[in-house]
Structure formats: structure tokens, C-alpha cells
Amino acid sequence: MHLQNVHARYPTAHRGLAGALNSISFTVAKGEFRWLTGASGAGKSTLLAVLGLSLRPTSGQMDILGVEPARAKRSQLTRLRRRIGTIHQDYRLLEQLTALENVALPLRLAGTDPRLIARESCDILAWLGLAGRENAYPDQLSGGECQRVAIARALVVRPDILLADEPTNALEETESRRLLGLFQEICGHGTTVIVATHNETLLRDFPAPSIEIAQGRVAGGTAPLP
Ligand code: ADP
Ligand code: MG
């Protein structure tokens, strides 16, 4: 993926810096792992919304998996979105669906064979320690369990890009490490993984190139610039 001078603004935000991205440029190669760092309110979630095609830049150029979203047709954007898995900071599970149904949903939308859907969804839930919780609704699950369902839903489609927004917030330390191990493993299979965090311990224990955001701008990091 490549971004060049990307600006974005929440439609509801007032003028000024708040809620904005300013002149963001970077390149992340296929199969690379990147940390996205920066203080609370820096713009990490906003940048992930742009990369996940849920917030449209006001200007600048973007290349996501070889597609320029600003020039793409609606059907092309739908296909592109299906190749991107997002773990939202606030999980965004559908309350009226069970854990299993939440995880199965992206596969159903993609038209996957129903027998495969059940198996794949159960397998990933089990890997995340949620065997036996498949039929629970989000309001019956703890914060950590909801976060793991959100992780399962993002991973079940085997996305080409994984965007994870503070994905270990509600997890125990051992779970966090296991998850980071999994992220690095899927990078090895060609998935590009971007993980927003301000967890210093994780950053230290899993050294990787980073993009640092401050006040909506790229403020540093160890990532090579385009
Ligand atoms: P981070 O994820 O780094 O904590 P965010 O991207 O959530 O930062 O927020 C960056 C800025 O955008 C903040 O000033 C925040 O108040 C603002 N913001 C976040 N979400 C919205 C929204 N939906 N509408 C308007 N402004 C928002
Ligand atoms: Mg955030």
C-alpha cells in the first residue's frame, strides 16, 4: 500500500486539526508488519479508517492492493473492502448475532460454502480460546471475549490486509503475545499487517518498523519513507 499526501477529515469535525489527517505519506510492502504508534487522539484510528476504506480522504493519492480507491467503481471497492480485515478499537460486533454468527458474517457475505463457513468460524473461535462460547451474544461476553470475537471476524476471511486497532487492550499478557505471534505468522503468508498500539511492552517485545503519528501527521517512526 502507498499513501502520498493524504488528507482526511471527519465530516462532523470542526475546522482545525482535530479529527484530521494532514499530508500522510508512507509505503508498506505486501506481507510487511508495521506498528502504528502515537498518543491518544493522534489520529491512529482515523488513519486505519482511511486504510480500511470507511473514511474517504479529502485529497492525496492512495494505492491499496493495486487499486486507487478514489478512481474505483463501487463494485471494485466492495471487492477491495472484502480483502481488508479490520479489528476495531470498540469491536463493533452485531449485538443481535451470536459470537459464531458475527464471525461467519463476512464469509456469508463473500458467498462461501455454508459447510466451510461453520467449520472455519468454529476453528478460529477455538484458536482464540472461545470454544463453548459460540452461541453467546455479545452482551453475554466479557470485554476480552468480545475483542477475541472481533479478532476472529477479521481473520476468518484470510485478508490480504489486516488493520488492528489496539487489538490487545482487553487481553491478558499471554493472549496478547500469542496474538502478536499469529499476526507475524500471517505476515509470513503475505498478509500486510498494521497494528495501532500504545502498549510499550508489546512494542519492545515485538520489534518491527513503525509509523508514528502525532496531531494527524507522520511524526517519525522507523519506517522507510516513500
Ligand atoms: P487515536 O486513535 O490516535 O487515539 P483518533 O483517530 O481516534 O486518534 O482521533 C484523532 C482525532 O480525531 C481526535 O481529535 C478525535 O477527537 C477526532 N475524532 C475521532 N473520531 C471522530 C469522529 N467520528 N468524528 C469527529 N472527530 C473524531
Ligand atoms: Mg484510536
Side-chain angles (χ1 to χ4, degrees), residues 75-131:
S75 59
Q76 207 178 1
L77 279 181
T78 303
R79 279 199 303 277
L80 186 59
R81 281 201 182 90
R82 289 204 182 127
R83 298 173 63 193
I84 304 172
T86 301
I87 302 163
H88 295 281
Q89 197 167 2
D90 53 359
Y91 319 140
R92 300 198 196 167
L93 301 178
L94 296 175
E95 296 292 326
Q96 69 277 26
L97 300 184
T98 64
L100 183 67
E101 289 164 348
N102 265 284
V103 175
L105 190 62
L107 292 176
R108 283 173 53 193
L109 292 174
T112 309
D113 177 343
R115 282 163 303 181
L116 209 59
I117 292 179
R119 195 167 67 218
E120 302 255 306
S121 306
C122 283
D123 282 355
I124 185 106
L125 281 170
W127 193 90
L128 287 156
L130 290 168

Side-chain angles (χ1 to χ4, degrees), residues 51-79:
L51 297 176
L53 309 178
S54 61
L55 181 65
R56 188 188 270 263
T58 47
S59 64
Q61 280 86 49
M62 276 216 293
D63 176 320
I64 307 285
L65 297 169
V67 178
E68 265 186 83
R71 292 167 187 262
K73 292 200 191 93
R74 189 188 285 260
S75 59
Q76 207 178 1
L77 279 181
T78 303
R79 279 199 303 277

Side-chain angles (χ1 to χ4, degrees), residues 205-218:
D205 293 351
F206 291 87
S210 64
I211 299 165
E212 186 191 343
I213 303 289
Q215 295 182 317
R217 294 176 185 276
V218 176

Side-chain angles (χ1 to χ4, degrees), residues 6 20 24 26 48-49 73 79 84 99 112 114 123 129 134-135 138 142 148 167 169 176 179-180 202 207 212 218:
V6 166
I24 301 274
F26 62 80
L48 291 181
K73 292 200 191 93
R79 279 199 303 277
I84 304 172
T112 309
D123 282 355
E134 295 88 350
N135 297 321
S142 72
R148 284 181 277 151
N169 266 5
S176 303
L179 185 67
L180 262 299
L202 274 186
E212 186 191 343
V218 176

Side-chain angles (χ1 to χ4, degrees), residues 127-128 151 167-168 171 175-183:
W127 193 90
L128 287 156
I151 293 165
T168 63
L171 302 188
E175 287 174 342
S176 303
R177 289 170 180 284
R178 209 165 151 242
L179 185 67
L180 262 299
L182 175 69
F183 285 174

